[in-house]
Amino acid sequence: MAKKLPGCRMLVLLCALWASLWEARAGQIRYSMPEEIDQGSFVGSIAKDLGLEPQALAERGARIVSRGRSQLFTLNPRSGNLITAGRIDREELCAQSAPCLVNFNLLLEDKLTIYSVEVEVTDVNDNAPRFGVEEPELKISETTTPGFRIPLKSAHDADVDENTLQKYELNSNDHFSLDVRTGADGNKYPELVLERALDREEEAVHHLVLVASDGGSPVRSGTCRIRVKVLDVNDNAPVFTQPEYRVSVPENMPVGTRILTVTATDPDEGYNAQVTYFQEQAPGEAAGVFELKSTSGDITITKGLDYEKAKFHEIDIEAQDGPGLLTRTKVIVTVLDVNDNAPEFYMTSATASVPEDSPPGTVIALFNVHDRDSGQNALVTCSFPEMLPFKLERSVDNYYRLVTTRALDREEFSFYNITLSAKDGGNPSLSTDTHLLLQVADINDNPPFFPRGSYSAYISENNPRGTSIFSVLAYDPDSNDNAHVTYSLAEDTFQGEPMSSYISINSDTGVLYALRSFDYEQFQDLQLWVIAVDSGNPPLSSNVSLSLFLVDQNDNMPEILYPALPTDGSTGVELAPRSADPGYLVTKVVAVDKDSGQNAWLSYRLLKASEPGLFSVGLHTGEVRTARALLDRDALKQSLVVSVQDHGQPPLSATVTLTIAVADNIPEVLADLGSIRTPANSDDSQLTLYLVVAVVVVSCVFLAFVIALLALRLRRWYMSRMLQASRDGLGVIPASHFVGVDGVRAFLQTYSHEVSLTADSRKSHIIFPQPNYADTLISQESCEKNDILSVAVFAKFPVHQTPKMFPFINRWFFYILILA
Ligand SMILES: *[C@@H]1O[C@H](CO)[C@@H](O)[C@H](O)[C@H]1NC(C)=O
Ligand SMILES: *[C@@H]1O[C@H](CO)[C@@H](O)[C@H](O)[C@H]1NC(C)=O
């Protein structure tokens, strides 16, 4: 019998001893022993119980007889005690049956006496309850209703009675409780009871610990770890991470860019948590702008965004799990403006052409500048190159006016290519240029102008009619008709005839033509005005003076004034006194040339003489002088041929034949000539007196006459000069030119008297002028300057017209006529 009280092995052994003694008396020996004691442990004192000495037992041949069983016990022959032969496991020996008795027999060989021995092996709590599976897994759907029971595997304890399994305990948890049923066999069956609904999403696996314990001392227990897996049910729809998505995207985002990823999560698992995304097609413009990847939830741009078309887009998105639970969300895409639009010009009105006299402030163009961007990106500033005579005036609503700041000048700039620039305020900013072409229309604001203030032209005299003399060209900086210049000559008269009869001008080309052949001996220069007028409205004109100078040609032969060829067939005779010394001035050949300069520079040469070497002629003076003393053998009548030649190219010349009478006085001449047709006047002294008186008188008259004539001439010359100057430009022509050779003639005619009267009658020869006077004829210039003086010089030479009031002179001429 097992004792409940621990540690009282001695007491148990005493009791067992007492019992065996009692048994032995009854013929059967009984012992009791706990299991699992060591080999050789004392079980009972057999000798004592048989009433024998311990040694006697061996002597009597005591032995244990077992029927085919292994010996659990042996006898200790010295002590006569029954001891264990090995370790005894009650559970092996008897399993669950109780009590566990081991029966055998003891044979005393000497007397062949058999004793029955019974050993009870008592239980010791040496086994703990054990579960068949230590970590079982249970599966339970999350929708299982509370109260649901799940039978659990029982535990097993090999011990018996108190030492066997007594109770189950479950660790405390929220969802499960333990219920233990006791079967008909008394076995205990634990069951798991669902107390509260499960949620896989909350806790997918529950770990429970079931402890089975026995009633032994000490208590032994076994543990079973139960894993309860909650099976998923699609009880959750996907959920987006945000109730609404907002994203801002610059409009220049390239196509294909991912702008956002929407994510919906499904707390379920597996297929129930397999989320796919769908985009609800937006109507109209926004359609197809974005693409949603059904698996990843990535949203990408599939069409270029344009802030100017749509500032934001709304995308409706659905998320669906495998079995089909849905959730919706919305993505709002805000498009951000990017400075992708340059400003644009809208010409509302523009003038293509503006007259150059338009006042400052004339509006050239009105335009609008617009930028399709917004905000700073649409802030447009307008500009154009400075220096141009324009400015921009800002008007309402980005309208600008381009106005002139000053009067324009077509002659400076005939057109403007105005580059207008508009620049927005973006970063980087964009700009647009436009070109405005403005023609400046011509106004006839410039008269034609001649490059020079005056012109001079030279033309040789004797020009053919119609020769072009010169050409003038006037420029007009205006354009078209305003620059079309026509030429004309100013109305004028020259030498009493209209200027247009002398010269004409081609109105288109400005070429001047001579209408006549000009004669230098008539006039040396000509002053005229050329007028250039343009075809504008009103026309503008300017004029220029043109001085036309004639260039002399050698077209006049020298004209011999003295000695003149007589018109009536007679010729004068010069006297050379026989007593004359060499170098005596006999006479002087006087010639003029109407030309001027070289052409009028005369040289005198002796061509032929009847007595060579007797006379010489001054090359430039024309003076005929005796070359040697005259001899008696020299003939009375000498004849000389003198040529007068100018220095023109080619030179022109004239010749004159002189007759010189070599005689002391006229009567001698006459006598020598043998002519007695005229009676000689013997009373010469009387005559001389008369002559002196007459000369004085005539000289006085002559002086008065000369003074009066000079005064008259001067007055006329002065008047005509004033008149011409006031009428036209011809006033500048020197009056002396008009005097010329004609004037010389007139004076010669007038003064022939004086020449005649100065002759010394007593010497009966003529007093000739001083040679130096004649030299003044050489140049035209000096002729012009010393006009009056020259006239006086010429006047001293006689001409064939004889005044009637002086008969003696008549008579001399008479003689001369005879001589001839
Ligand atoms: C105006 O100027 C621009 C550039 O300066 C040039 O491209 C354009 O051809 C010009 N227009 C005319 C008509 O000359
Ligand atoms: C020439 O022009 C001036 C003004 O420039 C004018 O006074 C003058 O009368 C003009 N002369 C002629 C001959 O036309």
Side-chain angles (χ1 to χ4, degrees), residues 86-148:
R87 219 178 168 87
I88 298 167
D89 184 9
R90 191 205 69 86
E91 283 76 29
E92 193 183 321
L93 211 58
C94 307
Q96 290 290 300
S97 58
C100 180
L101 301 170
V102 179
N103 291 297
F104 59 92
N105 297 104
L106 184 69
L107 172 70
L108 293 178
E109 283 188 346
D110 62 342
K111 291 173 182 175
L112 293 175
T113 316
I114 291 286
Y115 296 90
S116 175
V117 179
E118 188 181 58
V119 178
E120 185 189 9
V121 181
T122 59
D123 187 34
V124 168
N125 192 19
D126 60 345
N127 285 293
R130 286 244 307 276
F131 287 95
V133 182
E134 288 195 346
E135 289 191 355
E137 190 184 65
L138 300 179
K139 289 183 180 168
I140 178 167
S141 166
E142 59 179 324
T143 48
T144 310
T145 48
F148 184 76

Side-chain angles (χ1 to χ4, degrees), residues 467-686:
T467 319
S468 76
I469 312 167
F470 193 63
S471 87
V472 291
L473 196 56
Y475 299 96
D476 192 318
D478 292 322
S479 73
N480 297 336
D481 278 356
N482 293 338
H484 184 255
V485 178
T486 51
Y487 303 89
S488 60
L489 294 178
E491 292 283 330
D492 204 351
T493 54
F494 179 64
Q495 293 188 341
E497 285 185 76
M499 187 62 81
S500 54
S501 66
Y502 289 88
I503 286 175
S504 77
I505 189 164
N506 183 319
S507 65
D508 288 332
T509 60
V511 176
L512 291 147
Y513 298 95
L515 295 181
R516 306 179 172 197
S517 183
F518 298 135
D519 186 1
Y520 181 84
E521 287 69 41
Q522 271 177 21
F523 60 92
Q524 282 77 44
D525 61 8
L526 187 58
Q527 193 81 12
L528 53 122
W529 290 84
V530 178
I531 301 172
V533 59
D534 63 26
S535 310
N537 184 22
L540 296 174
S541 70
S542 61
N543 58 41
V544 72
S545 77
L546 170 66
S547 304
L548 188 64
F549 295 104
L550 296 189
V551 177
D552 185 39
Q553 279 186 338
N554 194 21
D555 58 345
N556 287 289
M557 293 197 326
E559 187 183 343
I560 294 163
L561 301 179
Y562 182 86
L565 286 178
T567 46
D568 52 358
S570 65
T571 181
V573 175
E574 307 295 336
L575 284 181
R578 280 195 186 274
S579 58
D581 296 329
Y584 173 80
L585 175 63
V586 180
T587 184
K588 180 177 168 95
V589 177
V590 178
V592 291
D593 194 310
K594 287 185 194 164
D595 297 320
S596 65
Q598 291 277 340
N599 297 336
W601 184 23
L602 303 180
S603 320
Y604 302 84
R605 285 185 192 83
L606 187 60
L607 273 192
K608 210 166 82 182
S610 50
E611 183 79 40
L614 183 53
F615 295 101
S616 67
V617 175
L619 181 63
H620 297 303
T621 58
E623 287 169 347
V624 180
R625 292 175 187 269
T626 52
R628 58 169 168 83
L630 298 173
L631 303 174
D632 286 346
R633 56 174 166 84
D634 292 330
L636 172 73
K637 187 183 171 189
Q638 296 287 340
S639 180
L640 303 178
V641 177
V642 176
S643 98
V644 183
Q645 191 180 42
D646 62 24
H647 284 75
Q649 280 296 340
L652 296 175
S653 63
T655 55
V656 68
T657 305
L658 295 177
T659 306
I660 298 173
V662 181
D664 281 334
N665 49 43
I666 292 174
E668 188 186 345
V669 173
L670 295 175
D672 286 354
L673 289 172
S675 168
I676 36 173
R677 270 170 282 178
T678 308
N681 196 341
S682 56
D683 202 352
D684 272 343
S685 57
Q686 198 77 325

Side-chain angles (χ1 to χ4, degrees), residues 35-55:
E35 58 173 331
E36 304 284 351
I37 51 173
D38 296 334
Q39 181 187 9
S41 295
F42 170 81
V43 179
S45 178
I46 293 283
K48 207 167 168 191
D49 286 343
L50 292 177
L52 299 171
E53 285 300 314
Q55 295 81 6

Side-chain angles (χ1 to χ4, degrees), residues 157-391:
D157 194 331
D159 295 326
V160 292
D161 300 333
E162 284 299 308
N163 288 340
T164 193
L165 183 82
Q166 295 300 313
K167 61 176 181 185
Y168 289 102
E169 278 173 337
L170 189 67
N171 67 325
S172 72
N173 70 84
D174 292 342
H175 293 275
F176 300 95
S177 65
L178 186 71
D179 188 28
V180 182
R181 293 185 182 205
T182 310
D185 54 356
N187 282 346
K188 290 182 168 64
Y189 299 102
E191 279 182 0
L192 210 53
V193 180
L194 183 65
E195 291 290 336
R196 220 154 60 83
L198 293 169
D199 187 358
R200 191 202 65 81
E201 286 72 40
E202 201 179 295
E203 204 170 352
V205 174
H206 297 267
H207 294 281
L208 302 176
V209 179
L210 184 64
V211 178
S213 41
D214 60 19
S217 178
V219 175
R220 287 177 176 260
S221 62
T223 306
C224 169
R225 300 177 185 283
I226 307 168
R227 200 165 161 266
V228 181
K229 192 175 174 197
V230 183
L231 296 178
D232 185 46
V233 165
N234 193 24
D235 55 350
N236 286 288
V239 177
F240 281 101
T241 51
Q242 288 176 28
E244 192 179 80
Y245 293 86
R246 286 178 181 274
V247 63
S248 298
V249 183
E251 58 176 323
N252 60 353
M253 246 336 160
V255 168
T257 313
R258 184 181 67 83
I259 55 163
L260 177 74
T261 303
V262 291
T263 313
T265 52
D266 193 320
D268 294 325
E269 64 174 1
Y271 185 61
N272 293 338
Q274 218 171 67
V275 180
T276 36
Y277 303 91
F278 299 97
Q279 178 185 3
E280 277 186 19
Q281 271 318 326
E285 276 282 301
V289 176
F290 301 101
E291 187 190 54
L292 174 67
K293 284 231 169 56
S294 63
T295 49
S296 62
D298 286 346
I299 299 174
T300 51
I301 303 172
T302 50
K303 240 195 216 174
L305 297 175
D306 190 357
Y307 174 86
E308 286 71 38
K309 276 190 194 154
K311 294 183 175 46
F312 64 89
H313 298 270
E314 266 188 33
I315 317 168
D316 289 317
I317 292 175
E318 282 178 357
Q320 193 180 42
D321 63 17
L325 285 179
L326 280 178
T327 321
R328 283 210 168 82
T329 192
K330 185 177 277 187
V331 176
I332 295 170
V333 181
T334 309
V335 181
L336 299 178
D337 185 35
V338 169
N339 193 20
D340 58 346
N341 287 289
E344 290 163 44
F345 281 96
Y346 296 99
M347 278 295 161
T348 310
S349 104
T351 343
S353 165
V354 64
E356 56 180 323
D357 63 347
S358 300
T362 306
V363 180
I364 304 299
L366 176 68
F367 60 91
N368 179 256
V369 181
H370 177 69
D371 193 306
R372 288 168 59 218
D373 296 320
S374 66
Q376 188 74 17
N377 294 340
L379 218 65
V380 180
T381 49
C382 242
S383 65
F384 69 97
E386 286 171 12
M387 300 114 58
L388 294 185
F390 305 103
K391 65 176 178 193

